[in-house]
Amino acid sequence: MESLPTADVSLLTKIAQRDQSALSALYDRYAKIIYAIAFKSLQSVEESEEVVLDVFAQVWRIAERYDTQKGRVDTWLFTLARSRILDRLRKLQRTSPANTLSMDAAEIQPKADNVNLFEEVVIAERRSRVMTAIKNLPTEQKLVIELAYYQGLTQSQIATKTGISLGTVKTRIRLGLNKLKSILNSEQDW
């Protein structure tokens, strides 16, 4: 049986060759988790659904650009999703700046007609691991990561909002992300 990362690469290769069934398979595998990530930040069913559609439309357009040397397919997809989420957050902040978002929002419950219980368990477990890892970061790193990833602020905006120098914000984000990566990778090893 093909491992998940290998299967994902195979799907992207087929998508680059315009195989719609491969796009459908990738969508089935990742749409719910991308929706969950989007909903966590956007708190809107409609906006979150738009993020999912935008991500997979982009995958269809640029699948041939995916480079296995730069990371796993799921990481690439989540990077695309994060970019779309940030675009929407910035748009929403321009139209409604009083809207504040937080990691402490209610747990995400993705809406779907055909719920795959195994997939739901995997998503919940991943979310739990990430949330636990974030809670284990030093307070100053946790703060800047929450502002960047859950409120969609740029590093400059974080510096302005917190009164911390831009260089310190960049360092804290880099250190926090490295620590998260280390925590999550060490959990996968056991």
Side-chain angles (χ1 to χ4, degrees), residues 36-71:
I37 292 167
F39 189 84
K40 183 75 169 175
S41 295
L42 299 169
Q43 298 294 304
S44 163
V45 171
E46 295 81 14
E47 292 291 334
S48 300
E49 289 171 348
E50 286 295 320
V51 165
V52 173
L53 293 176
D54 289 350
V55 166
F56 286 97
Q58 187 173 9
V59 167
W60 181 253
R61 287 190 312 272
I62 67 167
E64 71 280 352
R65 293 187 205 162
Y66 169 72
D67 181 356
T68 57
Q69 301 302 311
K70 291 185 179 179

Side-chain angles (χ1 to χ4, degrees), residues 3 51 88 104 142:
S3 72
V51 165
R88 292 196 178 279
D104 296 327
K142 178 181 169 185

